[in-house]
Amino acid sequence: NRANTAFVDLTPDYQLPESFYETSAALCFLPRPNSPTGVCSSRADVERLCEGFDGLVIVDEAYVDFAEDDCMDFPRRFPNAMVMRTFSKSFGMAGLRLGVAVARPEIIQELMKMKDSYNLNAVTQRAGVAAMGAWDWMREKAEAVRATRARLTRELTNMGFHVPPSQANFLFAEWRGQPPAAALYQGLRAQGVLVRHFDARRLAHGLRITVGTEEETDALLEALRGVIT
């Protein structure tokens, strides 16, 4: 829509820099946790942003069910805050393309003016309502992911990777050794183990690894040790 976009680099540990709060804009997007690092801005940082930002602050919490806390209460506290969620991650319903936005009524009213008439079909709506009734099941699965994530972080750290503290259902394993991360990606792929590698600034030295089952984690670690050695 021909908007002027301002990109702000995160700090070396992937947190919000001082310049982020000083940037003037009408709209701010803040993924929390962030992708592909899994790092999560603190609630205090988001509070500071909402208090000092003149425009709308959209907190994307797609992966927040795997995190330690959330900002769902912020729309009640700050008139310029919006929190977005999806059923694609913790509920495992990516194929339905179902998400929600929570904000003050006056903001939602403006969004309704440009909403497509039938953007969400009846089957997806019913499935979303049913999923909301399975909250305990989702929490149990998310807790299993957190436990495996902690184990995977320890194992990768012992192998020489640097792993920023992830609050998502994936982690970013930074690798400065040999062979380079791109070669690790190709070596894993050749063994049928799929991770993600981004040929981009600040990301090319790492692998984004989804937290799977314990068996999948074992297979990943075994394959990775073979590629490194």
Side-chain angles (χ1 to χ4, degrees):
N1 292 305
R2 299 188 298 275
N4 296 319
T5 306
F7 293 96
V8 180
D9 267 5
L10 299 177
T11 64
D13 58 349
Y14 304 109
Q15 293 293 339
L16 300 180
E18 194 64 29
S19 59
F20 195 87
Y21 304 100
E22 300 169 353
T23 302
S24 178
L27 187 64
C28 170
F29 289 96
L30 179 65
R32 183 186 187 272
N34 200 0
S35 179
T37 66
V39 173
C40 200
S41 303
S42 69
R43 278 175 54 93
D45 286 346
V46 184
E47 288 176 352
R48 178 185 175 188
L49 182 61
C50 291
E51 290 172 347
F53 191 72
D54 290 334
L56 184 64
V57 177
I58 298 180
V59 185
D60 181 356
E61 293 193 333
Y63 302 97
V64 80
D65 289 325
F66 307 101
E68 296 176 356
D69 55 32
D70 61 66
C71 295
M72 187 56 82
D73 60 312
F74 277 41
R76 289 183 178 273
R77 300 172 54 199
F78 304 102
N80 62 335
M82 174 185 289
V83 176
M84 297 196 305
R85 295 283 183 89
T86 177
F87 286 80
S88 296
K89 314 303 179 185
S90 57
F91 281 100
M93 302 168 67
L96 289 182
R97 318 309 301 157
L98 177 61
V100 296
V102 178
R104 295 285 181 93
E106 55 269 23
I107 295 177
I108 299 300
Q109 182 178 357
E110 294 302 312
L111 291 177
M112 292 296 289
K113 293 179 180 179
M114 59 182 180
K115 183 184 78 69
D116 198 15
S117 300
Y118 304 104
N119 64 309
L120 197 61
N121 65 72
V123 175
T124 297
Q125 292 181 49
R126 292 291 296 271
V129 172
M132 292 295 290
W135 206 263
D136 291 340
W137 172 88
M138 182 274 289
R139 289 297 189 191
E140 179 182 345
K141 298 301 181 182
E143 184 57 39
V145 168
R146 284 192 288 267
T148 305
R149 182 183 68 200
R151 176 206 166 196
L152 182 56
T153 299
R154 290 193 301 269
E155 296 281 0
L156 291 172
T157 301
N158 291 337
M159 294 171 63
F161 288 88
H162 171 67
V163 183
S166 174
Q167 293 288 298
N169 63 336
F170 57 84
L171 47 80
F172 188 66
E174 299 177 326
W175 177 252
R176 301 293 183 176
Q178 292 296 327
L184 297 184
Y185 163 76
Q186 293 295 344
L188 291 175
R189 184 181 179 88
Q191 300 181 63
V193 178
L194 301 181
V195 297
R196 297 195 68 182
H197 176 260
F198 301 92
D199 186 16
R201 184 175 64 89
R202 296 188 66 181
L203 300 176
H205 57 275
L207 302 174
R208 181 191 185 275
I209 303 174
T210 299
V211 179
T213 64
E214 289 291 329
E215 294 76 15
E216 290 169 337
T217 300
D218 291 337
L220 163 73
L221 293 171
E222 182 180 356
L224 194 54
R225 291 188 183 99
V227 174
I228 291 177
T229 58

